[in-house]
Amino acid sequence: MQQRFLILLLLLGFYSGFAQNSEAQAESYYKKGEFKKALIIYENLIKEKPYNYNYIDKLVDIHQQLEQYNEAEKIITDRLRKNPNPVMVVVLGYNFQLQDSINNANKLYEEAIAYTDQQPNYIYTIAKKFEDYSLQDQAIRLYEKGKLLTPDRDYSIQLARIYGDQGNIEKMFENYIEYIDFKPNYLNNIKRAISDFISENKDNESNIYLRRALLKKLQQEPKPYWYEMLSWLYVQEKAYTKSFIQEKALYKRNPESLDRIIELATTARKDNDDETAKAIFNYILDTTQDQTTALTAHQYILEIDTKNADEKTLKQIDRRYQNLFAEFGKSQLSIPLQLAYGKFLAFDLKDTKTATSFLKESLKLPISNYRQAKIKLLLADILVLQEKFNEALIFYSQIQAELKNSTIAQEARFKVAKTSYYKGDFDWAESQLKILKSSTSQLIANDALDLKLLITDNKFEDSLHTSLKLYAKADLYAFQNKTDDAISLLDKILEEHKGESITDQTLYRQAKLFEQKKQYIKAEANYLEIIKDYGDDILADDAHFYLAELYNTHLAEPEEAQQLYEKIIFEHQDSIYFIEARKKFRMLRGDSIN
């Protein structure tokens, strides 16, 4: 008896495995469009499991794909006889529609819709089947009906999605807003869903629809999530001052955390809206009771003020740093401020001696290994600034040894490669960069790849590496904030090594330095030369994109910008700038949907 039971179990297991393999094979044929092969297997499978909904759906669909509508109808009507189901009524209607029997199809669609008057629980499943067949108007009718018959279920998100597909943006926003009211914790999901419809351009039709709807909601019921949503919209438009107004209103209603306001200030700062960023950080200083938050705000204000500061202002900023250390002390708490001050002393005041001694004192504090590594990284950078390359390499190597495989260790390895490159030791730099191509930090990996390509593409043309050494020296000048010297040295490469493989890279690097100095016409000339003479090379898409940005942002040539963005879309589809170029192109063209 036991033996027979075991044999039965083995047979059942074998059959189950066989059935699973058969289903997988049928699915594979189906996906490849080999419907006749898939049909044979599904017909065998359904003999064993005649009530399997998946097999029935697949068989109906395959017959329809093969234009065997009578066979599909037989399966559907047989199913309806055994188990009347409004979803199968929709399936039968669609089978008639495929045969251009529209009147019969519509009658069946109406029958399925009417069924929900008595059975509203079927609204979602029937509407979903309509969606599967791209019968959006019928799906809309059912979901709208569901709002009335089953208000506790709310179908706004389904309606929003369909209206979006139809291009009815106003109705889409109306339903997304309704859904936020129904489920406020879905706010971030809704932001992601509508982000493709929103532009930087505040006059974009979609932006106007959303802004009006949100302002109306705020007037009717000033709930926190409407402030948050409106603030998010203003951030997309880079209207950080307006976003700040919403965030302040939100904070006054719930003064528990300044995190959102800090994040807004940081975003404005990254986007070079220094005036707004500084205003927000000052508000944070007036509001916070937390020392760490206050120190962060002070630090960012000082860093903003340091930009373009003259010698007199730099001395005033130095005194402000000293006053902060007198107020808050030099402890683990103020390490980020100490790092900012060390960098300020070395790179802005050019006082590397004071910077080094200050940071070495910071190292004596009882701090974590990570913070020690951050200080050592800056000390090494200051040694590179002084062209004490070998001493810098010792610090970088210490960080790699002490915090193996961490992101900061990978950053240190990249700086080893960069320092070796500054020294002209291109082979060693290249060996380090090869390792970093697979860095867990995408930013480090990208920087490593760019530098490796620069070295590899140019080190074989001249056995003495003359032009590459000049380029590395110009790079070092740029690191040392000697921008004019860097530009002059790049000019020398363009004069003495014109036509060599490094020429386009030199033009591009110089263009970025011209932009830094706000010499936009000179930057434009460089980008145009790259496009004209090196239009098929690796920097072509970079030149197109940054020239477009120049026209769009600084030179008031929106039509020229639009043409360049369009070129990236059609001629550089594998470019990292493709998505951003498409977004900017549509915005300049005045599209309502981005």
Side-chain angles (χ1 to χ4, degrees):
M1 181 73 178
Q2 191 174 7
Q3 190 176 8
R4 254 190 286 170
F5 179 68
L6 286 170
I7 291 167
L8 183 61
L9 279 177
L10 286 168
L11 286 170
L12 285 170
F14 172 77
Y15 170 74
S16 175
F18 175 76
Q20 285 175 357
N21 289 335
S22 297
E23 188 172 351
Q25 184 67 65
E27 182 69 17
S28 175
Y29 284 138
Y30 176 84
K31 285 179 178 175
K32 291 176 187 174
E34 297 179 30
F35 299 117
K36 288 181 180 177
K37 291 179 181 177
L39 180 61
I40 293 165
I41 300 174
Y42 277 121
E43 283 178 337
N44 287 324
L45 286 168
I46 205 162
K47 287 173 186 174
E48 303 296 335
K49 291 185 178 180
Y51 296 102
N52 186 301
Y53 285 105
N54 182 49
Y55 297 164
I56 292 166
D57 286 345
K58 279 291 193 295
L59 279 169
V60 169
D61 187 50
I62 289 167
H63 281 305
Q64 289 172 343
Q65 295 287 351
L66 295 169
E67 298 184 12
Q68 297 169 353
Y69 303 117
N70 290 336
E71 286 82 351
E73 185 177 339
K74 284 174 190 173
I75 295 170
I76 300 164
T77 52
D78 180 62
R79 187 71 197 157
L80 282 167
R81 270 195 305 271
K82 291 173 181 174
N83 179 24
N85 184 315
V87 174
M88 290 309 289
V89 172
V90 175
V91 176
L92 182 59
Y94 186 65
N95 199 60
F96 279 117
Q97 183 171 326
L98 290 171
Q99 300 170 75
D100 294 325
S101 184
I102 304 301
N103 287 336
N104 283 331
N106 285 336
K107 282 177 188 175
L108 289 162
Y109 296 154
E110 291 301 322
E111 183 184 323
I113 292 168
Y115 184 87
T116 59
D117 289 331
Q118 283 72 42
Q119 297 290 337
N121 289 340
Y122 274 87
I123 283 171
Y124 177 77
T125 51
I126 299 171
K128 186 70 178 65
K129 183 53 72 174
F130 279 131
E131 284 193 75
D132 291 343
Y133 292 143
S134 298
L135 298 166
Q136 294 177 325
D137 290 338
Q138 288 85 346
I140 286 172
R141 280 177 59 197
L142 264 176
Y143 287 133
E144 293 286 7
K145 197 175 186 181
K147 283 186 176 182
L148 300 172
L149 297 177
T150 56
D152 56 314
R153 294 196 176 181
D154 197 278
Y155 297 101
S156 304
I157 199 154
Q158 287 85 5
L159 282 163
R161 189 179 61 248
I162 297 171
Y163 282 127
D165 290 341
Q166 290 185 331
N168 190 337
I169 307 306
E170 195 164 8
K171 290 290 284 182
M172 180 193 75
F173 284 137
E174 181 186 307
N175 279 279
Y176 273 133
I177 285 171
E178 190 174 316
Y179 194 74
I180 292 169
D181 225 357
F182 179 68
K183 280 194 175 178
N185 57 325
Y186 270 66
L187 182 62
N188 288 331
N189 301 60
I190 304 301
K191 287 178 192 174
R192 282 191 291 273
I194 65 173
S195 60
D196 286 342
F197 296 87
I198 297 302
S199 161
E200 287 179 19
N201 180 6
K202 67 182 176 63
D203 297 322
N204 176 37
E205 192 177 20
S206 297
N207 293 46
I208 293 168
Y209 282 148
L210 182 58
R211 189 162 54 249
R212 282 177 182 165
L214 290 171
L215 288 168
K216 185 179 177 182
K217 275 288 184 186
L218 271 171
Q219 287 172 351
Q220 292 170 347
E221 41 179 359
K223 293 180 179 176
Y225 39 85
W226 303 135
Y227 289 106
E228 185 178 338
M229 193 73 183
L230 192 56
S231 172
W232 174 83
L233 174 62
Y234 287 136
V235 168
Q236 307 317 298
E237 297 172 349
K238 300 185 184 297
Y240 300 114
T241 302
K242 291 180 179 178
S243 177
F244 181 36
I245 292 166
Q246 303 307 316
E247 292 297 339
K248 279 194 289 187
L250 197 57
Y251 179 73
K252 284 173 184 173
R253 292 175 66 88
N254 184 22
E256 286 184 10
S257 171
L258 283 162
D259 288 351
R260 290 182 54 83
I261 293 178
I262 293 167
E263 185 182 347
L264 176 62
T266 307
T267 303
R269 178 174 172 264
K270 282 179 182 172
D271 209 27
N272 295 313
D273 187 348
D274 292 335
E275 187 179 341
T276 305
K278 192 173 170 182
I280 301 171
F281 282 124
N282 276 314
Y283 174 81
I284 291 165
L285 282 176
D286 292 340
T287 309
T288 189
Q289 301 297 315
D290 179 66
Q291 281 198 331
T292 304
T293 303
L295 280 165
T296 302
H298 278 301
Q299 178 189 327
Y300 285 140
I301 290 168
L302 286 164
E303 287 175 356
I304 290 167
D305 288 345
T306 301
K307 282 185 181 181
N308 305 315
D310 57 24
E311 194 173 332
K312 182 182 176 183
T313 309
L314 286 173
K315 286 178 181 176
Q316 291 171 354
I317 292 169
D318 185 32
R319 285 195 292 274
R320 283 161 62 191
Y321 270 113
Q322 297 289 356
N323 291 338
L324 286 173
F325 290 125
E327 181 182 350
F328 292 97
K330 294 172 189 172
S331 66
Q332 182 171 339
L333 189 71
S334 63
I335 288 294
L337 187 69
Q338 292 175 56
L339 283 163
Y341 183 53
K343 189 176 179 182
F344 168 78
L345 285 170
F347 288 84
D348 296 294
L349 282 186
K350 314 292 185 189
D351 188 352
T352 53
K353 185 178 178 183
T354 304
T356 301
S357 60
F358 175 81
L359 290 169
K360 283 183 176 176
E361 286 300 312
S362 299
L363 272 179
K364 294 175 184 176
L365 294 168
I367 54 178
S368 67
N369 289 340
Y370 175 79
R371 287 196 157 173
Q372 281 197 336
K374 292 286 284 185
I375 295 168
K376 286 181 179 179
L377 204 64
L378 180 53
L379 279 166
D381 288 348
I382 293 168
L383 288 166
V384 171
L385 187 67
Q386 299 171 83
E387 300 186 31
K388 296 178 180 177
F389 300 125
N390 292 333
E391 291 176 54
L393 288 169
I394 292 168
F395 269 119
Y396 291 138
S397 299
Q398 279 179 11
I399 295 164
Q400 286 184 74
E402 290 164 4
L403 292 167
K404 286 179 182 176
N405 302 320
S406 65
T407 301
I408 198 166
Q410 290 169 12
E411 187 181 350
R413 186 184 288 277
F414 177 70
K415 290 193 180 241
V416 166
K418 200 77 185 277
T419 304
S420 302
Y421 154 77
Y422 290 147
K423 285 175 64 182
D425 189 351
F426 301 122
D427 290 334
W428 178 245
E430 204 173 9
S431 70
Q432 298 299 298
L433 295 166
K434 280 178 186 174
I435 299 167
L436 285 167
K437 281 195 300 179
S438 57
S439 169
T440 50
S441 164
Q442 193 59 50
L443 186 62
I444 293 170
N446 290 343
D447 288 345
L449 180 61
D450 287 345
L451 186 55
K452 185 186 178 303
L453 286 172
L454 172 71
I455 295 168
T456 306
D457 290 349
N458 297 290
K459 74 173 186 175
F460 296 113
E461 191 163 26
D462 170 13
S463 59
L464 296 175
H465 304 148
T466 311
S467 59
L468 188 55
K469 284 178 180 175
L470 285 171
Y471 188 94
K473 185 71 174 176
D475 245 353
L476 177 62
Y477 283 154
F479 175 75
Q480 294 169 323
N481 281 342
K482 298 176 182 176
T483 309
D484 291 333
D485 292 337
I487 289 170
S488 297
L489 204 49
L490 292 169
D491 268 333
K492 185 176 181 180
I493 297 170
L494 292 173
E495 289 166 15
E496 298 177 5
H497 300 272
K498 193 168 183 66
E500 292 183 16
S501 60
I502 205 166
T503 306
D504 59 335
Q505 188 73 45
T506 305
L507 285 165
Y508 179 74
R509 186 75 176 95
Q510 194 180 54
K512 300 309 290 178
L513 292 172
F514 282 142
E515 283 193 62
Q516 202 174 304
K517 289 182 68 65
K518 297 182 171 55
Q519 295 175 354
Y520 301 122
I521 301 301
K522 289 183 177 180
E524 176 196 20
N526 279 33
Y527 289 134
L528 286 169
E529 191 171 342
I530 295 169
I531 291 167
K532 177 175 168 286
D533 296 336
Y534 303 92
D536 297 324
D537 289 353
I538 196 167
L539 289 171
D541 62 325
D542 299 80
H544 277 90
F545 182 77
Y546 286 110
L547 181 56
E549 291 286 277
L550 213 56
Y551 285 141
N552 195 26
T553 310
H554 298 293
L555 298 179
E557 296 276 3
E559 289 180 10
E560 296 287 339
Q562 187 177 328
Q563 288 175 23
L564 288 162
Y565 289 133
E566 189 174 22
K567 270 206 162 191
I568 294 171
I569 295 165
F570 290 107
E571 296 178 19
H572 300 277
Q573 292 177 355
D574 58 346
S575 170
I576 58 169
Y577 307 111
F578 177 82
I579 293 171
E580 189 66 18
R582 184 174 61 185
K583 184 178 178 182
K584 296 281 178 75
F585 170 74
R586 289 178 175 179
M587 184 181 78
L588 287 170
R589 195 172 62 177
D591 291 6
S592 61
I593 299 176
N594 237 30

